[in-house]
Amino acid sequence: MTNAEAIALSAAHEVGVYARQPVAFVRGRGAELWDADGKRYLDFFAGLAVNNLGHCHPAVVEAVRAQAATLLHASNVYYTLPAGELCALLCRHSFAERVFLANSGAEANEAAMKLARRWGSQQGGGRFEILATTGSFHGRTFATLTATGQEKYHTGFLPLLPGVRLVPYGDLAAMEAAVRDETVAIMVEPIQGEGGVVVPPPDYLAGLRALAERRDVLLILDEIQCGLGRTGRLFAHEHAGVTPDIMTLAKALGGGLPIGAMCATERVAAAFTPGVHGSTFGGNPVACAAAIAAVKALAEPALLEHVRTVGQHLRGRLEALVGRHGIQQVRGMGLMLGAVLERPGAAVVDHCREAGLLVNCTAERVLRFLPPLVITRAQADEGFAILERALAARP
Ligand SMILES: *Cc1c(COP(=O)(O)O)cnc(C)c1O
């Protein structure tokens, strides 16, 4: 099948919810991908921060191969070995004492929101309200859509879930003013991804943590995009030196397989008791085997150091372009970087893709760079050169 044939087949039969780029991928390795016509691309997108270990990381491939030949599924009516091992691994590497396994980011956030509400109902006093932020992205289910502070995602889906309120992102005073007696949790991304790689002021997370203590509400951190090594630490909140009550993970967790996780403290997780929540596929053995291999590799100090080094290098090269080619600002951390353009970025994305580089544009004008964390400095330079030519072309 060629690119054109794959595109035609999808166009004829798939529900058209994706505004897709006209290319069909058939193979990947490390930071490289090949399309159905045999063309090679350098990857500065990593499947939207999923392929943090690069494409087809050998440890993940081998774990999947071995588990697929052993046990594919058994049901949460029983125990399986990979799920417990993965939860133990996540607890060992984070503040978490308990983990609930889901199949996606939205489901992990849905579980976090349900857990907060249930915790609130057990605290008494009728507390239920979740405060989320403008510009956020938390998923496409109704609860997570409601917490997503971007109107374009809400259009046509009203009414949304009651009991969720949006507060300006990065504004500690606004959040302090927003907490009221009904409030049970504050839910934020440590760095907003879809919202345009928005880094909050340095004291924001610590301020939210202190606020949560003071008002006895929960702090939920959505690390689905910024977690798992992306910022040069295993979890983005480590930069702020504080821990949440609940953290959600997905995207890079399965090394390319679909899996999500809600990680929580014992105190909060105790509000979930047998029968109150669940998922048929949650903790699937193959997804968990992949995730065990992925988390082990992502937690390697040498990899995290590499992210900081290559991230700093790429950032420096991008910053040298500020004021030229219509680039106004560079922001982000580690290998989660954004370049704010003075014009829409879609034409730059197209130009790069045609020249063999995958980049993304979000929030209309923010070129977003999320390369696999294993990308070499030489590959980063190769991609940057393509990007610079695309910007200079001023399409
Ligand atoms: C992608 C994303 C989600 C949703 O994850 P899905 O697996 O698509 O449901 C939630 N939060 C953030 C921050 C994300 O980037």
Side-chain angles (χ1 to χ4, degrees), residues 104-107 109 137-140 189 194 222 224-225 250-251:
S104 68
E107 281 177 75
N109 281 337
F137 184 85
H138 295 297
R140 307 283 198 155
E189 294 157 83
E194 303 306 298
D222 178 342
I224 289 167
Q225 189 166 145
K251 292 207 162 92

Side-chain angles (χ1 to χ4, degrees), residues 63-65 67-69 71-73 82 254 257 259 283-291:
V64 169
R65 204 194 298 279
Q67 186 59 46
L71 181 71
L72 289 174
H73 175 83
L257 263 67
I259 184 168
N284 170 269
V286 181
C288 287

Side-chain angles (χ1 to χ4, degrees), residues 59-123:
V60 175
V61 170
E62 188 43 45
V64 169
R65 204 194 298 279
Q67 186 59 46
T70 307
L71 181 71
L72 289 174
H73 175 83
S75 162
N76 283 314
V77 166
Y78 310 102
Y79 294 92
T80 54
L81 306 187
E85 195 184 327
L86 174 60
C87 294
L89 189 62
L90 289 172
C91 289
R92 184 160 356 119
H93 283 292
S94 74
F95 72 96
E97 294 158 318
R98 298 272 163 187
V99 178
F100 171 78
L101 295 172
N103 313 290
S104 68
E107 281 177 75
N109 281 337
E110 189 86 17
M113 294 173 79
K114 284 184 72 179
L115 177 61
R117 281 222 174 149
R118 193 159 165 99
W119 180 82
S121 84
Q122 293 184 349
Q123 298 288 299

Side-chain angles (χ1 to χ4, degrees), residues 16-353:
V17 292
Y18 301 108
R20 284 186 170 133
Q21 306 268 305
V23 55
F25 288 113
V26 293
R27 190 163 62 86
R29 196 192 58 197
E32 297 172 295
L33 277 167
W34 287 266
D35 74 12
D37 297 343
K39 179 176 166 183
R40 170 197 179 262
Y41 298 80
L42 192 58
D43 190 1
F44 270 20
F45 184 55
L48 221 177
V50 167
N51 302 106
N52 280 15
L53 290 171
H55 297 276
C56 295
H57 187 279
V60 175
V61 170
E62 188 43 45
V64 169
R65 204 194 298 279
Q67 186 59 46
T70 307
L71 181 71
L72 289 174
H73 175 83
S75 162
N76 283 314
V77 166
Y78 310 102
Y79 294 92
T80 54
L81 306 187
E85 195 184 327
L86 174 60
C87 294
L89 189 62
L90 289 172
C91 289
R92 184 160 356 119
H93 283 292
S94 74
F95 72 96
E97 294 158 318
R98 298 272 163 187
V99 178
F100 171 78
L101 295 172
N103 313 290
S104 68
E107 281 177 75
N109 281 337
E110 189 86 17
M113 294 173 79
K114 284 184 72 179
L115 177 61
R117 281 222 174 149
R118 193 159 165 99
W119 180 82
S121 84
Q122 293 184 349
Q123 298 288 299
R127 302 162 68 203
F128 60 85
E129 184 185 59
I130 295 167
L131 300 177
T133 58
T134 54
S136 66
F137 184 85
H138 295 297
R140 307 283 198 155
T141 61
F142 264 109
T144 59
L145 183 66
T146 307
T148 291
Q150 302 189 57
E151 212 176 301
K152 64 180 178 190
Y153 294 112
H154 294 173
T155 309
F157 295 116
L158 305 183
L160 301 176
L161 184 77
V164 177
R165 202 149 46 94
L166 299 171
V167 177
Y169 183 69
D171 186 339
L172 186 57
M175 192 62 85
E176 280 169 348
V179 174
R180 53 185 182 184
D181 292 346
E182 298 93 312
T183 306
V184 77
I186 296 165
M187 178 171 181
V188 302
E189 294 157 83
I191 296 175
Q192 287 187 339
E194 303 306 298
V197 193
V198 182
V199 183
D203 59 350
Y204 186 56
L205 289 188
L208 292 181
R209 176 72 269 173
L211 172 62
E213 294 302 321
R214 211 157 59 237
R215 301 297 301 267
D216 192 27
V217 301
L218 303 178
L219 179 61
I220 303 172
L221 294 183
D222 178 342
E223 294 236 11
I224 289 167
Q225 189 166 145
C226 62
L228 294 164
R230 182 51 62 189
T231 65
R233 301 273 171 211
L234 188 56
F235 302 113
H237 66 258
E238 292 174 25
H239 294 281
V242 296
T243 59
D245 300 286
I246 302 173
M247 166 176 75
T248 52
L249 302 172
K251 292 207 162 92
L253 181 58
L257 263 67
I259 184 168
M262 181 201 65
C263 308
T265 60
E266 178 78 52
R267 168 181 89 101
V268 177
F272 265 4
T273 50
V276 310
H277 192 61
S279 163
T280 295
F281 283 122
N284 170 269
V286 181
C288 287
I292 291 164
V295 172
K296 282 180 179 168
L298 290 165
E300 278 295 331
L303 178 65
L304 297 171
E305 172 67 29
H306 176 77
V307 174
R308 297 193 290 270
T309 307
V310 178
Q312 200 49 251
H313 173 69
L314 186 56
R315 188 192 181 108
R317 299 214 63 183
L318 291 168
E319 271 169 353
L321 297 182
V322 171
R324 290 159 54 206
H325 306 316
I327 293 188
Q328 295 176 324
Q329 189 198 2
V330 174
R331 57 198 190 199
M333 280 182 116
L335 283 170
M336 180 174 189
L337 296 169
V340 186
L341 296 177
E342 65 193 13
R343 60 185 192 277
V348 178
V349 171
D350 287 341
H351 196 290
C352 284
R353 188 187 61 254

